[in-house]
Amino acid sequence: MNSFVKAVGVGIISLGLWSSTALAQDSWWKTAAQPYQGAIIRGVSESTPASKYVEQVLGPKFTEETGIKVEFEATSWDQMYDKAIKDMEANTGIYDFVYIEQDIVYTYLARNFLVDITKSLAENAKIASPDFKPENFTTFLNYFKDPKSGDVMGVPMEAFIKPYLYRKDLFDDPAIQKAYKDSTGADLKPATTHEEYTQVAKFFTEYGADKELWGTTVQASSSHPAAFYEFFESVAPTFGVYNWGIDGTTFAATEANGGQMNSAAAKKALNYWIDLLKYAPPESTSSTWDEVAGTFAAGRAAQGLVYGENAAWIATDETKSTVVGKVGVALPPVEAGVMEAAEAGKGYIGYYDGGAFGIPHSSKNKDASLLFLQYIGQASVQTDWALAGSRIVMNSTYDDPKIVDQDKKMNGYYTLMREDGKLFAGAPPFPFHSQVLQVAAPFIYKAIVGEIKPDDALDQAATAAEAELVKLGYRK
């Protein structure tokens, strides 16, 4: 900085203006937080890259600027939900802010768990930060708005798509390309159809037989909802089966009653997905999203559907990944007509995941928590957070030079997300998410371990889901 100032005198003026602005910002946060000095706010979230950044960076920075201490618990997906929901149900007020995944928000809204952030800030202007502007967020914010009022009920803290990752070094290797051509008669490239994907998976499994290399990842834990989610939210849509195959008007799940959960397209999809296990590493039947990321980072798979929250570290962090500089990114393979439907806004090709922080009605420190949620909702904290967790929730973040540079190292993941994110969608707006998951998922698990055929699994899952919807009063 000193050499720069000597060379460019006006830099001193710029630096002075910057310092004044920074002091003014600090002054606002300190002033707004004055009534809450010494308060402790507690939060709980899944232990994701984005959450760890909150725990290790944003929480301490907020405490430093406001005097409000943040105790943040980053735990497993299962424990997060168990702890948060029990706390909100019992109204015990253990947690002041909780992680709301996109697919569970409708349940939380239906059960009136969450504080209305828009209304709360309007009623208390003293804690409404001028740097918190909902219009700065991407359309992902819409998932966390009350459908009736349009009010914000959660502040997005991560958002990402689930793309098709592939080993660019393998796909671009001339010797491997020749071997693939000799074996299949086709050129080696990222698959655009399911038939191509299976062919690539089979080839690399055979090629890697003595190399600890398999043809694909499969998120197929036989005892964890991750398998249900991969199939219904990432694979089934590529076959034209949307919203878990449940009709959003009649709430039918079975094909006989107008649903699609056990349709011919859904059965084709599940058979395809189960068949891929032949070309996947042995850990696949115990793999959630975390293990899939680990498998790909360890160089054990040539391709796979991998949650974008892991894309950055897999592609750039040499302390965790063996495939740095070797990762390509593409759209998932689809059936004929599915891409066109997605482009027309009549379908989607995969999952747009992420979450927000919301404040439970049971919180004992609502105002202090509102300050914290606004703090993490500033544009100024987004870039480094994105670098740490490949998550983008504001449009301006895409254009930051740091993100542009990382995008190159990730072979265009952010570009893909920005340009083609519209082809992906979040989970369906079902308040009965958990109940249907619980009754339908066991049949997917049975198909994974070979206990029942994929077709039978979907017939039984659809029947169970529909019976549950009748029981809950959604389907008459």
Side-chain angles (χ1 to χ4, degrees):
M1 179 63 74
N2 288 338
S3 60
F4 174 76
V5 171
K6 289 176 183 177
V8 187
V10 294
I12 297 175
I13 299 173
S14 300
L15 181 60
L17 290 173
W18 180 88
S19 298
S20 298
T21 302
L23 288 171
Q25 289 179 332
D26 286 348
S27 177
W28 186 92
W29 288 105
K30 287 179 180 178
T31 300
Q34 195 62 43
Y36 318 107
Q37 288 293 305
I40 299 174
I41 58 173
R42 296 178 175 87
V44 64
S45 182
E46 182 182 4
S47 183
T48 65
S51 288
K52 290 177 182 176
Y53 187 82
V54 175
E55 179 183 29
Q56 297 166 7
V57 179
L58 294 180
K61 286 181 67 177
F62 176 75
T63 298
E64 181 181 349
E65 292 194 42
T66 65
I68 299 170
K69 185 176 181 181
V70 179
E71 291 186 355
F72 189 68
E73 185 178 350
T75 185
S76 68
W77 180 87
D78 316 65
Q79 284 292 307
M80 171 194 67
Y81 276 127
D82 184 61
K83 292 182 176 185
I85 291 175
K86 285 180 178 176
D87 179 44
M88 292 186 289
E89 285 178 335
N91 203 37
T92 46
I94 295 172
Y95 298 110
D96 298 299
F97 63 96
V98 297
Y99 179 81
I100 317 164
E101 192 160 8
Q102 181 277 320
D103 53 10
I104 202 72
V105 64
Y106 308 104
T107 299
Y108 285 11
L109 291 176
R111 300 187 67 180
N112 196 32
F113 278 159
L114 303 174
V115 167
D116 185 323
I117 293 172
T118 300
K119 183 179 179 182
S120 297
L121 293 177
E123 292 175 347
N124 191 350
K126 290 182 179 179
I127 60 169
S129 169
D131 293 324
F132 178 69
K133 300 175 182 178
E135 62 270 21
N136 287 347
F137 287 90
T138 66
T139 55
F140 189 68
L141 175 68
N142 294 337
Y143 285 114
F144 303 98
K145 290 182 177 180
D146 185 311
K148 297 178 182 177
S149 68
D151 286 358
V152 174
M153 308 298 287
V155 176
M157 53 79 68
E158 64 179 0
F160 45 87
I161 58 175
K162 191 175 182 183
Y164 168 16
L165 298 190
Y166 64 95
R167 286 282 301 280
K168 198 170 186 302
D169 59 319
L170 299 179
F171 277 66
D172 291 348
D173 186 301
I176 296 177
Q177 290 175 339
K178 182 179 185 304
Y180 186 81
K181 182 81 169 183
D182 291 344
S183 174
T184 67
D187 293 327
L188 178 59
K189 60 183 178 61
T192 58
T193 70
H194 297 110
E195 291 76 16
E196 289 175 352
Y197 191 92
T198 300
Q199 184 171 268
V200 170
K202 181 177 184 293
F203 169 81
F204 274 112
T205 300
E206 294 171 350
Y207 168 82
D210 59 347
K211 302 177 180 65
E212 289 291 303
L213 175 69
W214 284 264
T216 183
T217 62
V218 182
Q219 186 179 295
S221 170
S222 58
S223 60
H224 192 283
F228 178 92
Y229 290 137
E230 167 136 307
F231 175 66
F232 278 109
E233 296 179 348
S234 296
V235 176
T238 67
F239 284 80
V241 178
Y242 312 119
N243 298 329
W244 299 4
I246 298 174
D247 186 284
T249 302
T250 65
F251 300 108
T254 62
E255 187 175 37
N257 290 324
Q260 292 291 312
M261 188 177 283
N262 65 334
S263 64
K267 289 177 177 178
K268 183 178 181 181
L270 187 56
N271 276 280
Y272 157 81
W273 187 64
I274 295 295
D275 185 61
L276 288 178
L277 287 170
K278 294 187 298 189
Y279 312 118
E283 66 266 24
S284 297
T285 51
S286 58
S287 288
T288 70
W289 35 78
D290 290 332
E291 288 76 25
V292 163
T295 290
F296 198 91
R300 291 171 60 80
Q303 58 183 355
L305 300 181
V306 181
Y307 281 95
E309 65 182 334
N310 296 306
W313 70 263
I314 290 175
T316 65
D317 190 343
E318 293 181 346
T319 67
K320 297 179 181 179
S321 174
T322 65
V323 294
V324 170
K326 303 175 182 178
V327 181
V329 186
L331 296 175
V334 295
E335 289 292 285
V338 170
M339 188 66 72
E340 292 77 10
E343 291 171 343
K346 297 179 180 179
Y348 54 95
I349 64 169
Y351 190 36
Y352 204 128
D353 195 11
F357 285 144
I359 301 172
H361 276 296
S362 53
S363 166
K364 298 174 183 176
N365 298 285
K366 294 183 179 65
D367 287 352
S369 298
L370 279 166
L371 282 171
F372 180 63
L373 264 58
Q374 292 176 91
Y375 186 84
I376 67 162
Q378 301 176 93
S380 60
V381 307
Q382 299 301 317
T383 298
D384 289 342
W385 199 358
L387 293 174
S390 10
R391 35 71 71 208
I392 288 183
V393 298
M394 290 188 181
N395 289 310
S396 59
T397 309
Y398 286 111
D399 296 320
D400 189 283
K402 291 182 181 179
I403 298 301
V404 172
D405 181 60
Q406 190 183 58
D407 189 43
K408 294 174 183 176
K409 297 175 182 177
M410 297 168 68
N411 280 300
Y413 168 73
Y414 291 125
T415 298
L416 185 77
M417 183 173 166
R418 186 178 201 175
E419 295 180 354
D420 294 318
K422 61 183 180 293
L423 302 176
F424 295 74
F430 294 154
F432 46 76
H433 177 110
S434 297
Q435 294 94 324
V436 169
L437 169 67
Q438 289 171 10
V439 300
F443 301 105
I444 305 302
Y445 304 155
K446 290 181 180 180
I448 289 170
V449 299
E451 187 175 327
I452 57 177
K453 300 290 186 183
D455 288 9
D456 294 333
L458 288 178
D459 285 336
Q460 294 175 47
T463 299
E466 202 165 89
E468 184 68 14
L469 291 169
V470 170
K471 176 183 172 183
L472 293 172
Y474 290 96
R475 178 165 173 77
K476 307 301 182 183

